[in-house]
Amino acid sequence: MTTTGDATSPRLISEAVSGELAARAAWADRESPWAAGCFDLLARHGVLAAFVPADCGGTAAGEPATIDVLVALASTCLTTALAVSQWAAAIKIIATAPPNVRATILPALARGETSATVGVAQITTSRQHLGRPALLASRDDEGWRLDGLCPWVTGADASDTIVTGAATSDGDCLFFVVPTDAKGLAIDPPLSMLALSGSRTSAVHFHSVRPSHVIAPPERNAARTGGLATTALALGSARAAIALVSAEALRRSNLVRVAESLDAEAASLVARLGRAAREGIALDDRDALRGDATSLSLRAAQAALTASKGAGFVCGHPAERIARESFFYLVWSCPQSVSSALLCEWAGIAPDA
């Protein structure tokens, strides 16, 4: 498997761990990565600690290495990769908090003793057409209070903590750390989705909920869509699909060129992702990379299904699952520029100037 890191980047997921995750992938897809023990496995092998700052019990492996982890996870078990990406997003926000908050929360997360997730769709891509914030933060004599809805929270009922974002009455956006047993917090049953239902993604309602901590983002409007994690997962999914095509190519020579071409495209995009993780990337270039990764994920999934023939159309076959999962990237934190470009491509029209 091609990695995103350079020659000095640590390989954080061994072949043995990847193999064990693969053995648990169907269980995680059917129930959840928490029930399947995937988080425990990653904690035992130090993978979770790589996302956590060194002064808070982690190993602070750096973005190139952690992006590489997400590619590897998505190529093995996308349900686990999604859950870890949301866990990592929560870690990233908490890491910007004052030292006492970091020290209170992060060490236990690094050890896998507690679990966290993030709910920020309402301030990035979801419910933006509404005339008022989906989740509102207000202050009274007792402190901050949250009222409203987080429409998409992965693993809400499997987590001890939700890190969420809410708009204030003066138009600012703040992050809040909320225990899932907080008074006034209600978690809906997990959604039954086209794919990734094992991620236990739910809507979470807030009725005068008092957060345990408030975190001011390092810059105004810090929440954004389409980060490198979403691209990493798309490329991991593409690699899983390409592996199926390559396996079929061992028996059918007409598939060799197809597998080689898709693999070369994936390697090129993974290299671009690695450079972005090491050197940074402009917004337009980041969105272009996300669009290219999404396109490849969709095309590779269709190639895997076609190469697998009728067997791949039966529920439970890897090609069937990968085909469904590929549609996830069309709706998960998908920037408008990416969705518009894809729609124009499918309609056979030039993008707007």
Side-chain angles (χ1 to χ4, degrees):
M1 179 189 70
T2 303
T3 65
T4 63
D6 57 28
T8 61
S9 295
R11 174 64 68 83
L12 297 177
I13 297 186
S14 67
E15 293 297 329
V17 172
S18 290
E20 194 164 346
L21 282 173
R24 302 181 188 203
W27 185 4
D29 178 57
R30 184 176 63 253
E31 296 186 32
S32 80
W34 300 273
C38 299
F39 266 80
D40 289 340
L41 174 68
L42 296 175
R44 289 200 311 273
H45 289 272
V47 178
L48 297 184
F51 292 86
V52 179
D55 63 348
C56 297
T59 56
E63 188 166 34
T66 54
I67 286 294
D68 191 64
V69 166
L70 295 178
V71 174
L73 288 175
S75 68
T76 304
C77 176
L78 184 58
T79 311
T80 297
L82 171 60
V84 170
S85 75
Q86 302 305 279
W87 179 92
I91 295 292
K92 192 170 185 178
I93 294 171
I94 296 169
T96 68
N100 64 312
V101 176
R102 289 155 48 96
T104 299
I105 302 173
L106 292 178
L109 288 170
R111 296 189 296 267
E113 295 171 358
T114 61
S115 185
T117 188
V118 70
V120 296
Q122 68 280 355
I123 60 171
T124 56
T125 57
S126 294
R127 311 297 171 105
Q128 297 300 293
H129 62 286
L130 299 177
R132 58 184 178 80
L135 185 61
L136 178 66
S138 56
R139 296 196 75 166
D140 56 25
D141 292 341
E142 298 180 35
W144 286 102
R145 185 184 70 217
L146 300 176
D147 290 278
L149 173 73
C150 286
W152 305 94
V153 182
T154 293
D157 66 354
S159 300
D160 303 294
T161 299
I162 296 173
V163 178
T164 190
T168 65
S169 57
D170 59 5
D172 281 340
C173 179
L174 298 173
F175 294 121
F176 297 89
V177 179
V178 184
T180 52
D181 61 358
K183 181 180 179 181
L185 186 145
I187 301 172
D188 282 353
L191 296 162
S192 179
M193 303 185 293
L194 175 65
L196 297 163
S197 292
S199 68
R200 302 193 68 78
T201 297
S202 306
V204 179
H205 302 267
F206 294 75
H207 305 284
S208 297
V209 173
R210 301 290 181 178
S212 58
H213 304 285
V214 57
I215 302 173
E219 58 186 40
R220 190 180 178 91
N221 299 322
R224 65 186 189 184
T225 64
L228 295 182
T230 56
T231 298
L233 265 61
L235 290 177
S237 292
R239 286 210 168 277
I242 294 166
L244 291 182
V245 179
S246 298
E248 292 292 335
L250 295 175
R251 299 186 293 271
R252 294 150 60 193
S253 60
N254 65 306
L255 293 176
V256 171
R257 289 177 58 216
V258 174
E260 290 177 346
S261 178
L262 290 170
D263 190 59
E265 184 177 354
S268 175
L269 290 174
V270 167
R272 284 172 57 189
L273 178 62
R275 287 194 297 273
R278 293 191 303 272
E279 303 168 10
I281 188 170
L283 176 62
D284 289 347
D285 293 337
R286 187 194 70 198
D287 288 354
L289 177 58
R290 167 68 189 272
D292 291 344
T294 299
S295 175
L296 175 62
S297 177
L298 289 161
R299 289 183 283 110
Q302 292 176 66
L305 184 58
T306 303
S308 299
K309 298 188 174 183
F313 203 67
V314 177
C315 287
H317 192 283
E320 173 268 336
R321 175 175 53 79
I322 288 171
R324 287 186 292 106
E325 290 176 346
S326 68
F327 290 108
F328 175 57
Y329 302 107
L330 300 178
V331 299
W332 179 44
S333 297
C334 190
Q336 184 61 47
S337 61
V338 174
S339 59
S340 295
L342 290 167
L343 288 169
C344 290
E345 176 186 339
W346 298 329
I349 59 177
D352 294 334

